[in-house]
Amino acid sequence: MGMGRNALVTGAASGIGAACAMLLAERGVGRLVLVDLDGAALDALDLPGCEVLRFIGDVADPALWERIEVEAGPLDHAVLNAGIGRGAPIANLSFETWRELMTVNLDGMFLSLKTALRLAADGASLVLTASVAGIKPEIGNAAYSTSKAAVIQLAKVAAKEGAARGIRVNAIAPGGVDTPIWDKMPFFAGIVAQHGGDRAEALAAMGKGTPLGRFASAAEIAAQVAFLLSDDAATITGTVLVSDGGYLL
């Protein structure tokens, strides 16, 4: 990363995406191309020192990516991060919920990746946000886990396809991270209630179930993404960086 480079970030309005956008701006990226459904939150991001192009829309909308391909210009980096979470046991999982997860997490990732590869300069680096859930199965997580397992495979195929041009593609697979995605999980509301409505305490209690005893912050994951994007990772491609506090152990 450096002055004059251009970077795309999807799901940039909050969580890991916002943390990545802020870190890239701090590290001197010249132009950021940001994508999110939440236009107000996207506009509220404070990103001094770099040009910012904001695209408000659904990552699963092909028309959005047609517009971005025309307007965004060449890319040196991309953080393909937009995603949602839902959960239910397979026997109780509605097809509507299944399709909602696949539409955003997989169709949206495919369209994002396709456009990023078409805009990528030789030697560009891309990181896809997967999840440790795409590696380790858990009860009630079939749709999300399946979508993230597919993201991992997409990253590996893209790494092989991009290698001839020096384009590196990797995935990051976080475990628990303090992001707004939890607030849309019905079970999490119950855990918060058990802790007197204290969200931070609820996340801390959940984090104690991992060997390191805590969840990650979005800023910590952003720093790891930045490493994968950077020249320090120049020989790393087609890999999955698991950042889960030891959850897989």
Side-chain angles (χ1 to χ4, degrees), residues 29-202:
V29 165
R31 188 162 63 117
L32 283 172
V33 179
L34 306 182
V35 182
D36 204 283
L37 267 176
D38 190 339
L42 207 56
D43 288 340
L45 283 180
D46 185 16
L47 300 165
C50 67
E51 178 188 357
V52 181
L53 297 180
R54 294 175 171 86
F55 291 89
I56 301 165
D58 184 345
V59 291
D61 179 6
L64 171 68
W65 291 105
E66 290 170 5
R67 182 181 160 215
I68 290 171
E69 185 167 346
V70 171
E71 298 179 20
L75 296 174
D76 302 292
H77 306 295
V79 181
L80 307 182
N81 167 76
I84 59 172
R86 303 282 187 274
I90 293 169
N92 300 326
L93 181 64
S94 71
F95 184 64
E96 179 183 14
T97 298
W98 171 270
R99 283 304 319 147
E100 182 183 17
L101 264 290
M102 294 302 162
T103 298
V104 178
N105 293 1
L106 187 51
D107 297 348
M109 183 62 78
F110 163 71
L111 291 169
S112 307
L113 179 58
K114 177 180 179 179
T115 300
L117 288 171
R118 288 167 67 91
L119 294 177
D122 289 357
S125 53
L126 288 63
V127 175
L128 283 58
T129 301
S131 170
V132 71
I135 301 169
K136 182 176 181 177
E138 291 288 3
I139 292 170
N141 211 21
Y144 183 77
S145 294
T146 300
S147 71
K148 292 301 187 177
V151 166
I152 289 170
Q153 191 69 0
L154 264 178
K156 292 180 178 182
V157 173
K160 262 197 159 178
E161 292 181 352
R165 293 178 51 211
I167 297 171
R168 298 186 299 105
V169 185
N170 292 289
I172 189 162
V177 185
D178 183 359
T179 73
I181 200 169
W182 293 108
D183 303 317
K184 297 181 180 178
M185 302 278 197
F187 80 90
F188 183 64
I191 296 174
V192 172
Q194 291 170 15
H195 290 83
D198 191 317
R199 182 182 184 279
E201 281 192 13

Side-chain angles (χ1 to χ4, degrees), residues 10-35:
T10 70
S14 64
I16 293 170
C20 286
M22 289 186 282
L23 185 58
L24 288 168
E26 289 171 8
R27 294 195 179 181
V29 165
R31 188 162 63 117
L32 283 172
V33 179
L34 306 182
V35 182

